[in-house]
């Protein structure tokens, strides 16, 4: 099985302890994470060769971030070293009706200041079959957006499957800028992954009879969203994860897949959340892994949602589960009974 390449920024994650607010916190728990790194680590845990491409400062904190990838078996051969700083994000975990909150500190990071000549994608893509990106990466700078566009063009030319998680982040760029940049990138994408808000935020494609603030989502409305995205960009497949937020602690979680002209609906999980950051990335990794392992569409969407459901039970960005655990959950072992 050939390698999967992901391209993006890994950050230092500083999270307030327990459910403390930022203004209460006198210390933070330091770990590492970032959308594309999260996908790479999940894939490595599933026995799939994953190659992570990025740029990190050449100091001890950059090395610690690199080590967090290597310890799980991710290939970091094309992580460049240079620049002065590692991007940071701060996390305040929500509870009940108080939502979680993220503050970014990633301006002028080593990765955000990357130049086109830093990455030789002809060499990077050798012996690789899949290239995954998110809408976060091109939001970091105009130059990184240019690098991302050129990378998907090269991947498409070389015959790799290209997947994109739209991942709109309003704290990084405007909806208008996201629309302009991602419209060009999507011309070279095979598989589009989005959450219940992304298509509306980026492309103004909205689901009827849905209200994300109340947690009321219409599967029929999202079928239309899938159709419109597929028609607009000629995607081979479109996936949308559906998060029904009862509270910050309790969500219902499912997904829909449009492949060809057929729709597939996943199982639906009621989640008691330990940590929701990385939930979408774990879905993406489950989808890629199930596809590469040869599963059929219904099983692919069920396995992807099961992988993501498990992630919500794990602290930190990374989904530290095995493929066996994902399969067991997807096959109906949902009770959470102790294993001994």
């Amino acid at each position: 099985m050939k390698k999967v390449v992901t391209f993006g920024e890994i950050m230092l994650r500083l999270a307030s302890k327990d459910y403390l607010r930022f203004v209460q916190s006198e210390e933070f728990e330091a770990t590492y994470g970032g959308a594309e790194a999260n996908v790479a680590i999940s894939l490595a845990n599933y026995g799939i060769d994953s190659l992570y491409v990025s740029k990190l400062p050449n100091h001890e904190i950059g090395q610690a971030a690199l080590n967090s990838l290597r310890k799980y078996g991710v290939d970091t051969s094309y992580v460049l070293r240079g620049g002065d700083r590692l991007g940071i994000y701060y996390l305040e975990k929500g509870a009940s009706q108080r939502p979680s909150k993220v503050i970014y500190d990633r301006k002028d990071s080593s990765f955000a200041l990357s130049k086109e000549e830093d990455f030789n994608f002809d060499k990077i893509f050798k012996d690789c079959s899949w290239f995954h990106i998110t809408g976060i990466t091109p939001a970091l700078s105009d130059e990184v957006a240019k690098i991302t566009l050129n990378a998907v063009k090269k991947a498409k030319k070389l015959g790799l499957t290209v997947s994109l998680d739209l991942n709109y982040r309003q704290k990084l760029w405007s909806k208008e800028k996201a629309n302009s940049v991602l419209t060009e990138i999507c011309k070279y994408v095979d598989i589009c992954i989005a959450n219940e808000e992304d298509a509306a935020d980026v492309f103004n494609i909205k689901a009827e009879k849905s209200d994300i603030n109340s947690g009321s989502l219409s599967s029929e409305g999202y079928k239309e969203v899938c159709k419109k995205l597929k028609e607009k960009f000629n995607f081979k497949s479109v996936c949308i994860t559906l998060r029904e937020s009862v509270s910050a602690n309790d969500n219902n979680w499912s997904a829909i897949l449009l492949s060809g002209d057929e729709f597939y609906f996943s199982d639906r999980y009621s989640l008691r959340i330990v940590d929701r950051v990385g939930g979408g990335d774990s879905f993406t990794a489950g989808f890629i892994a199930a596809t590469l392992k040869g599963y059929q569409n219904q099983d692919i969407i069920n396995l992807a949602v099961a992988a993501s459901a498990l992630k919500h039970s794990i602290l930190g960005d990374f989904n530290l589960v095995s493929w066996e655990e994902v399969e067991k959950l997807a096959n109906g072992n949902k009770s959470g009974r102790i294993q001994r």
Side-chain angles (χ1 to χ4, degrees):
M1 191 181 295
K2 292 185 178 180
K3 289 182 180 180
V4 177
V5 183
T6 70
F7 174 61
E9 179 174 44
I10 188 169
M11 294 170 287
L12 174 63
R13 164 179 153 152
L14 297 176
S16 54
K17 288 190 172 183
D18 300 318
Y19 290 97
L20 291 176
R21 305 216 69 185
F22 287 136
V23 294
Q24 295 175 285
S25 299
E26 297 181 355
E27 55 184 337
F28 292 86
E29 296 175 333
T31 54
Y32 297 90
E36 302 82 6
N38 299 342
V39 172
I41 286 171
S42 280
L43 291 171
N45 286 335
Y46 300 152
I48 293 171
D49 289 339
S50 62
L51 174 63
Y52 182 65
V53 181
S54 191
K55 188 173 184 178
L56 295 171
N58 193 20
H59 54 48
E60 288 85 352
I61 303 303
Q63 187 63 45
L66 193 65
N67 292 347
S68 74
L69 295 156
R70 288 177 171 170
K71 72 184 289 186
Y72 296 110
V74 175
D75 185 341
T76 60
S77 302
Y78 291 102
V79 175
L80 304 182
R81 306 301 294 272
D84 296 321
R85 68 184 303 262
L86 183 70
I88 300 171
Y89 85 88
Y90 298 87
L91 174 65
E92 176 186 283
K93 191 185 299 183
S96 190
Q97 274 61 56
R98 174 173 61 84
S100 296
K101 183 176 291 186
V102 168
I103 296 175
Y104 291 116
D105 178 16
R106 55 200 301 187
K107 185 178 180 182
D108 295 333
S109 68
S110 295
F111 183 77
L113 295 179
S114 296
K115 300 297 182 184
E116 191 171 359
E117 57 267 24
D118 288 339
F119 305 103
N120 182 344
F121 281 99
D122 277 308
K123 190 174 181 181
I124 290 168
F125 288 148
K126 185 178 180 182
D127 297 323
C128 295
S129 63
W130 196 299
F131 182 45
H132 176 68
I133 57 170
T134 76
I136 299 171
T137 296
L140 298 178
S141 72
D142 289 343
E143 182 71 6
V144 174
K146 181 181 177 183
I147 295 168
T148 306
L149 178 59
N150 290 337
V152 294
K153 287 181 178 178
K154 177 65 67 175
K156 191 74 169 179
K157 183 178 179 180
L158 294 174
L160 280 72
T161 297
V162 179
S163 58
L164 165 70
D165 187 340
L166 286 178
N167 260 350
Y168 176 69
R169 297 291 184 265
Q170 64 179 355
K171 293 185 178 182
L172 296 179
W173 58 352
S174 68
K175 293 179 181 180
E176 293 75 21
K177 186 67 176 289
N179 180 287
S180 174
V181 172
L182 292 176
T183 293
E184 288 302 307
I185 288 173
C186 282
K187 294 176 182 177
Y188 305 93
V189 169
D190 299 299
I191 298 167
C192 179
I193 299 165
N195 68 21
E196 65 283 342
E197 300 177 82
D198 290 331
D201 287 334
V202 178
F203 298 121
N204 200 32
I205 298 174
K206 300 178 181 179
E208 294 184 5
K209 299 180 181 180
S210 290
D211 181 358
I212 60 170
N213 292 315
S214 69
S216 175
L217 304 181
S218 165
S219 58
E220 288 300 314
Y222 282 99
K223 284 175 66 174
E224 290 303 312
V225 172
C226 288
K227 284 181 182 179
K228 290 177 181 178
L229 282 171
K230 189 173 184 293
E231 290 167 1
K232 184 176 178 68
F233 296 107
N234 198 32
F235 295 132
K236 292 180 181 178
S237 298
V238 177
C239 298
I240 296 181
T241 56
L242 303 174
R243 184 185 297 277
E244 300 169 288
S245 294
V246 179
S247 70
N249 304 95
D250 297 283
N251 290 178
N252 296 318
W253 182 248
S254 61
I256 180 174
L257 165 64
L258 173 59
S259 181
D261 296 321
E262 296 293 325
F263 285 98
Y264 303 87
F265 294 89
S266 76
D267 295 331
R268 182 170 176 265
Y269 293 88
S270 295
L271 306 178
R272 172 58 57 91
I273 295 172
V274 171
D275 191 333
R276 63 157 287 177
V277 178
D281 307 323
S282 57
F283 172 88
T284 295
F287 181 91
I288 294 172
T291 301
L292 291 176
K293 290 175 181 288
Y295 289 88
Q296 298 301 306
N297 285 325
Q298 186 61 62
D299 289 330
I300 289 171
I301 195 68
N302 282 337
L303 287 159
V305 168
S308 186
L310 288 170
K311 165 62 194 76
H312 287 76
S313 72
I314 297 171
L315 285 171
D317 269 49
F318 304 151
N319 193 22
L320 305 179
V321 300
S322 68
W323 191 247
E324 180 183 11
E325 289 174 303
V326 174
E327 287 185 313
K328 283 183 177 179
L329 179 56
N331 289 333
N333 188 359
K334 300 178 181 179
S335 66
R337 289 176 64 85
I338 190 170
Q339 297 179 9
R340 56 188 172 189

PDB file of all heavy atoms in Angstrom, residues 284-308:
ATOM      1  N   THR A 284     -11.736  11.965   8.873  1.00  0.00           N
ATOM      2  CA  THR A 284     -11.016  11.940   7.598  1.00  0.00           C
ATOM      3  C   THR A 284     -10.059  10.766   7.525  1.00  0.00           C
ATOM      4  O   THR A 284     -10.004  10.053   6.520  1.00  0.00           O
ATOM      5  CB  THR A 284     -10.242  13.258   7.411  1.00  0.00           C
ATOM      6  OG1 THR A 284     -11.173  14.340   7.288  1.00  0.00           O
ATOM      7  CG2 THR A 284      -9.370  13.210   6.170  1.00  0.00           C
ATOM      8  N   ALA A 285      -9.289  10.561   8.592  1.00  0.00           N
ATOM      9  CA  ALA A 285      -8.328   9.455   8.594  1.00  0.00           C
ATOM     10  C   ALA A 285      -9.038   8.109   8.500  1.00  0.00           C
ATOM     11  O   ALA A 285      -8.577   7.196   7.799  1.00  0.00           O
ATOM     12  CB  ALA A 285      -7.470   9.514   9.849  1.00  0.00           C
ATOM     13  N   GLY A 286     -10.163   7.983   9.195  1.00  0.00           N
ATOM     14  CA  GLY A 286     -10.932   6.742   9.093  1.00  0.00           C
ATOM     15  C   GLY A 286     -11.452   6.517   7.692  1.00  0.00           C
ATOM     16  O   GLY A 286     -11.439   5.384   7.184  1.00  0.00           O
ATOM     17  N   PHE A 287     -11.893   7.591   7.052  1.00  0.00           N
ATOM     18  CA  PHE A 287     -12.385   7.491   5.673  1.00  0.00           C
ATOM     19  C   PHE A 287     -11.264   7.061   4.727  1.00  0.00           C
ATOM     20  O   PHE A 287     -11.442   6.149   3.903  1.00  0.00           O
ATOM     21  CB  PHE A 287     -12.954   8.836   5.220  1.00  0.00           C
ATOM     22  CG  PHE A 287     -13.515   8.818   3.827  1.00  0.00           C
ATOM     23  CD1 PHE A 287     -14.847   8.533   3.605  1.00  0.00           C
ATOM     24  CD2 PHE A 287     -12.698   9.074   2.730  1.00  0.00           C
ATOM     25  CE1 PHE A 287     -15.369   8.496   2.314  1.00  0.00           C
ATOM     26  CE2 PHE A 287     -13.202   9.036   1.439  1.00  0.00           C
ATOM     27  CZ  PHE A 287     -14.544   8.749   1.229  1.00  0.00           C
ATOM     28  N   ILE A 288     -10.099   7.705   4.840  1.00  0.00           N
ATOM     29  CA  ILE A 288      -8.973   7.363   3.964  1.00  0.00           C
ATOM     30  C   ILE A 288      -8.534   5.928   4.198  1.00  0.00           C
ATOM     31  O   ILE A 288      -8.319   5.156   3.254  1.00  0.00           O
ATOM     32  CB  ILE A 288      -7.799   8.337   4.197  1.00  0.00           C
ATOM     33  CG1 ILE A 288      -8.183   9.755   3.760  1.00  0.00           C
ATOM     34  CG2 ILE A 288      -6.561   7.872   3.427  1.00  0.00           C
ATOM     35  CD1 ILE A 288      -7.152  10.817   4.132  1.00  0.00           C
ATOM     36  N   ALA A 289      -8.398   5.551   5.473  1.00  0.00           N
ATOM     37  CA  ALA A 289      -7.940   4.196   5.792  1.00  0.00           C
ATOM     38  C   ALA A 289      -8.901   3.139   5.265  1.00  0.00           C
ATOM     39  O   ALA A 289      -8.485   2.140   4.652  1.00  0.00           O
ATOM     40  CB  ALA A 289      -7.766   4.048   7.299  1.00  0.00           C
ATOM     41  N   ALA A 290     -10.191   3.334   5.501  1.00  0.00           N
ATOM     42  CA  ALA A 290     -11.178   2.348   5.052  1.00  0.00           C
ATOM     43  C   ALA A 290     -11.178   2.239   3.529  1.00  0.00           C
ATOM     44  O   ALA A 290     -11.325   1.140   2.973  1.00  0.00           O
ATOM     45  CB  ALA A 290     -12.563   2.726   5.555  1.00  0.00           C
ATOM     46  N   THR A 291     -11.007   3.361   2.846  1.00  0.00           N
ATOM     47  CA  THR A 291     -10.957   3.347   1.380  1.00  0.00           C
ATOM     48  C   THR A 291      -9.738   2.569   0.896  1.00  0.00           C
ATOM     49  O   THR A 291      -9.844   1.699   0.021  1.00  0.00           O
ATOM     50  CB  THR A 291     -10.926   4.783   0.831  1.00  0.00           C
ATOM     51  OG1 THR A 291     -12.091   5.491   1.281  1.00  0.00           O
ATOM     52  CG2 THR A 291     -10.900   4.782  -0.688  1.00  0.00           C
ATOM     53  N   LEU A 292      -8.586   2.861   1.476  1.00  0.00           N
ATOM     54  CA  LEU A 292      -7.357   2.194   1.047  1.00  0.00           C
ATOM     55  C   LEU A 292      -7.349   0.712   1.418  1.00  0.00           C
ATOM     56  O   LEU A 292      -6.697  -0.099   0.744  1.00  0.00           O
ATOM     57  CB  LEU A 292      -6.148   2.884   1.665  1.00  0.00           C
ATOM     58  CG  LEU A 292      -5.846   4.295   1.136  1.00  0.00           C
ATOM     59  CD1 LEU A 292      -4.672   4.910   1.897  1.00  0.00           C
ATOM     60  CD2 LEU A 292      -5.540   4.261  -0.363  1.00  0.00           C
ATOM     61  N   LYS A 293      -8.064   0.339   2.462  1.00  0.00           N
ATOM     62  CA  LYS A 293      -8.134  -1.067   2.861  1.00  0.00           C
ATOM     63  C   LYS A 293      -9.169  -1.851   2.054  1.00  0.00           C
ATOM     64  O   LYS A 293      -9.345  -3.049   2.270  1.00  0.00           O
ATOM     65  CB  LYS A 293      -8.440  -1.165   4.364  1.00  0.00           C
ATOM     66  CG  LYS A 293      -7.285  -0.721   5.266  1.00  0.00           C
ATOM     67  CD  LYS A 293      -7.696  -0.716   6.737  1.00  0.00           C
ATOM     68  CE  LYS A 293      -6.576  -0.246   7.644  1.00  0.00           C
ATOM     69  NZ  LYS A 293      -5.480  -1.221   7.779  1.00  0.00           N
ATOM     70  N   GLY A 294      -9.887  -1.162   1.153  1.00  0.00           N
ATOM     71  CA  GLY A 294     -10.767  -1.855   0.226  1.00  0.00           C
ATOM     72  C   GLY A 294     -12.195  -2.066   0.662  1.00  0.00           C
ATOM     73  O   GLY A 294     -12.910  -2.875   0.064  1.00  0.00           O
ATOM     74  N   TYR A 295     -12.664  -1.351   1.678  1.00  0.00           N
ATOM     75  CA  TYR A 295     -14.044  -1.492   2.113  1.00  0.00           C
ATOM     76  C   TYR A 295     -15.004  -0.851   1.112  1.00  0.00           C
ATOM     77  O   TYR A 295     -14.631   0.030   0.329  1.00  0.00           O
ATOM     78  CB  TYR A 295     -14.240  -0.829   3.478  1.00  0.00           C
ATOM     79  CG  TYR A 295     -13.583  -1.566   4.617  1.00  0.00           C
ATOM     80  CD1 TYR A 295     -12.262  -1.310   4.973  1.00  0.00           C
ATOM     81  CD2 TYR A 295     -14.285  -2.519   5.357  1.00  0.00           C
ATOM     82  CE1 TYR A 295     -11.653  -1.979   6.025  1.00  0.00           C
ATOM     83  CE2 TYR A 295     -13.691  -3.190   6.412  1.00  0.00           C
ATOM     84  CZ  TYR A 295     -12.371  -2.915   6.741  1.00  0.00           C
ATOM     85  OH  TYR A 295     -11.779  -3.591   7.785  1.00  0.00           O
ATOM     86  N   GLN A 296     -16.254  -1.284   1.150  1.00  0.00           N
ATOM     87  CA  GLN A 296     -17.294  -0.700   0.321  1.00  0.00           C
ATOM     88  C   GLN A 296     -17.857   0.553   0.992  1.00  0.00           C
ATOM     89  O   GLN A 296     -17.638   0.802   2.176  1.00  0.00           O
ATOM     90  CB  GLN A 296     -18.406  -1.728   0.082  1.00  0.00           C
ATOM     91  CG  GLN A 296     -17.934  -2.972  -0.663  1.00  0.00           C
ATOM     92  CD  GLN A 296     -17.335  -2.654  -2.026  1.00  0.00           C
ATOM     93  OE1 GLN A 296     -17.966  -1.988  -2.847  1.00  0.00           O
ATOM     94  NE2 GLN A 296     -16.116  -3.130  -2.265  1.00  0.00           N
ATOM     95  N   ASN A 297     -18.609   1.345   0.223  1.00  0.00           N
ATOM     96  CA  ASN A 297     -19.002   2.682   0.668  1.00  0.00           C
ATOM     97  C   ASN A 297     -19.745   2.714   2.000  1.00  0.00           C
ATOM     98  O   ASN A 297     -19.480   3.567   2.844  1.00  0.00           O
ATOM     99  CB  ASN A 297     -19.846   3.365  -0.412  1.00  0.00           C
ATOM    100  CG  ASN A 297     -19.008   3.852  -1.577  1.00  0.00           C
ATOM    101  OD1 ASN A 297     -17.876   4.289  -1.398  1.00  0.00           O
ATOM    102  ND2 ASN A 297     -19.561   3.779  -2.778  1.00  0.00           N
ATOM    103  N   GLN A 298     -20.695   1.806   2.197  1.00  0.00           N
ATOM    104  CA  GLN A 298     -21.438   1.830   3.457  1.00  0.00           C
ATOM    105  C   GLN A 298     -20.523   1.562   4.643  1.00  0.00           C
ATOM    106  O   GLN A 298     -20.618   2.213   5.691  1.00  0.00           O
ATOM    107  CB  GLN A 298     -22.583   0.813   3.434  1.00  0.00           C
ATOM    108  CG  GLN A 298     -23.488   0.879   4.660  1.00  0.00           C
ATOM    109  CD  GLN A 298     -24.167   2.239   4.802  1.00  0.00           C
ATOM    110  OE1 GLN A 298     -24.930   2.646   3.928  1.00  0.00           O
ATOM    111  NE2 GLN A 298     -23.905   2.951   5.899  1.00  0.00           N
ATOM    112  N   ASP A 299     -19.627   0.618   4.477  1.00  0.00           N
ATOM    113  CA  ASP A 299     -18.675   0.336   5.546  1.00  0.00           C
ATOM    114  C   ASP A 299     -17.697   1.488   5.725  1.00  0.00           C
ATOM    115  O   ASP A 299     -17.295   1.795   6.854  1.00  0.00           O
ATOM    116  CB  ASP A 299     -17.909  -0.953   5.246  1.00  0.00           C
ATOM    117  CG  ASP A 299     -18.773  -2.192   5.391  1.00  0.00           C
ATOM    118  OD1 ASP A 299     -19.698  -2.163   6.215  1.00  0.00           O
ATOM    119  OD2 ASP A 299     -18.529  -3.172   4.674  1.00  0.00           O
ATOM    120  N   ILE A 300     -17.304   2.135   4.639  1.00  0.00           N
ATOM    121  CA  ILE A 300     -16.362   3.257   4.731  1.00  0.00           C
ATOM    122  C   ILE A 300     -16.922   4.364   5.610  1.00  0.00           C
ATOM    123  O   ILE A 300     -16.246   4.859   6.524  1.00  0.00           O
ATOM    124  CB  ILE A 300     -16.027   3.805   3.325  1.00  0.00           C
ATOM    125  CG1 ILE A 300     -15.140   2.809   2.561  1.00  0.00           C
ATOM    126  CG2 ILE A 300     -15.337   5.167   3.411  1.00  0.00           C
ATOM    127  CD1 ILE A 300     -14.927   3.159   1.098  1.00  0.00           C
ATOM    128  N   ILE A 301     -18.163   4.751   5.381  1.00  0.00           N
ATOM    129  CA  ILE A 301     -18.736   5.858   6.157  1.00  0.00           C
ATOM    130  C   ILE A 301     -18.981   5.433   7.602  1.00  0.00           C
ATOM    131  O   ILE A 301     -18.781   6.221   8.541  1.00  0.00           O
ATOM    132  CB  ILE A 301     -20.024   6.395   5.488  1.00  0.00           C
ATOM    133  CG1 ILE A 301     -20.404   7.760   6.059  1.00  0.00           C
ATOM    134  CG2 ILE A 301     -21.165   5.423   5.567  1.00  0.00           C
ATOM    135  CD1 ILE A 301     -19.456   8.869   5.722  1.00  0.00           C
ATOM    136  N   ASN A 302     -19.355   4.176   7.821  1.00  0.00           N
ATOM    137  CA  ASN A 302     -19.539   3.694   9.194  1.00  0.00           C
ATOM    138  C   ASN A 302     -18.222   3.639   9.960  1.00  0.00           C
ATOM    139  O   ASN A 302     -18.154   4.006  11.141  1.00  0.00           O
ATOM    140  CB  ASN A 302     -20.195   2.314   9.186  1.00  0.00           C
ATOM    141  CG  ASN A 302     -21.684   2.373   8.938  1.00  0.00           C
ATOM    142  OD1 ASN A 302     -22.328   3.394   9.180  1.00  0.00           O
ATOM    143  ND2 ASN A 302     -22.252   1.278   8.454  1.00  0.00           N
ATOM    144  N   LEU A 303     -17.165   3.203   9.302  1.00  0.00           N
ATOM    145  CA  LEU A 303     -15.855   3.127   9.953  1.00  0.00           C
ATOM    146  C   LEU A 303     -15.301   4.516  10.244  1.00  0.00           C
ATOM    147  O   LEU A 303     -14.702   4.757  11.298  1.00  0.00           O
ATOM    148  CB  LEU A 303     -14.884   2.333   9.075  1.00  0.00           C
ATOM    149  CG  LEU A 303     -15.144   0.822   9.032  1.00  0.00           C
ATOM    150  CD1 LEU A 303     -14.509   0.197   7.790  1.00  0.00           C
ATOM    151  CD2 LEU A 303     -14.597   0.156  10.305  1.00  0.00           C
ATOM    152  N   ALA A 304     -15.501   5.438   9.316  1.00  0.00           N
ATOM    153  CA  ALA A 304     -15.017   6.809   9.520  1.00  0.00           C
ATOM    154  C   ALA A 304     -15.689   7.455  10.727  1.00  0.00           C
ATOM    155  O   ALA A 304     -15.030   8.105  11.554  1.00  0.00           O
ATOM    156  CB  ALA A 304     -15.253   7.636   8.261  1.00  0.00           C
ATOM    157  N   VAL A 305     -16.996   7.273  10.848  1.00  0.00           N
ATOM    158  CA  VAL A 305     -17.730   7.852  11.978  1.00  0.00           C
ATOM    159  C   VAL A 305     -17.352   7.149  13.281  1.00  0.00           C
ATOM    160  O   VAL A 305     -17.224   7.789  14.333  1.00  0.00           O
ATOM    161  CB  VAL A 305     -19.248   7.798  11.717  1.00  0.00           C
ATOM    162  CG1 VAL A 305     -20.036   8.121  12.974  1.00  0.00           C
ATOM    163  CG2 VAL A 305     -19.609   8.784  10.618  1.00  0.00           C
ATOM    164  N   ALA A 306     -17.143   5.845  13.222  1.00  0.00           N
ATOM    165  CA  ALA A 306     -16.730   5.111  14.425  1.00  0.00           C
ATOM    166  C   ALA A 306     -15.364   5.602  14.908  1.00  0.00           C
ATOM    167  O   ALA A 306     -15.155   5.803  16.116  1.00  0.00           O
ATOM    168  CB  ALA A 306     -16.688   3.617  14.135  1.00  0.00           C
ATOM    169  N   ALA A 307     -14.428   5.798  13.977  1.00  0.00           N
ATOM    170  CA  ALA A 307     -13.098   6.310  14.350  1.00  0.00           C
ATOM    171  C   ALA A 307     -13.219   7.656  15.035  1.00  0.00           C
ATOM    172  O   ALA A 307     -12.572   7.928  16.060  1.00  0.00           O
ATOM    173  CB  ALA A 307     -12.217   6.418  13.105  1.00  0.00           C
ATOM    174  N   SER A 308     -14.066   8.500  14.497  1.00  0.00           N
ATOM    175  CA  SER A 308     -14.246   9.830  15.062  1.00  0.00           C
ATOM    176  C   SER A 308     -14.955   9.793  16.410  1.00  0.00           C
ATOM    177  O   SER A 308     -14.628  10.557  17.322  1.00  0.00           O
ATOM    178  CB  SER A 308     -15.022  10.710  14.082  1.00  0.00           C
ATOM    179  OG  SER A 308     -15.097  12.026  14.540  1.00  0.00           O
TER     180      SER A 308
END
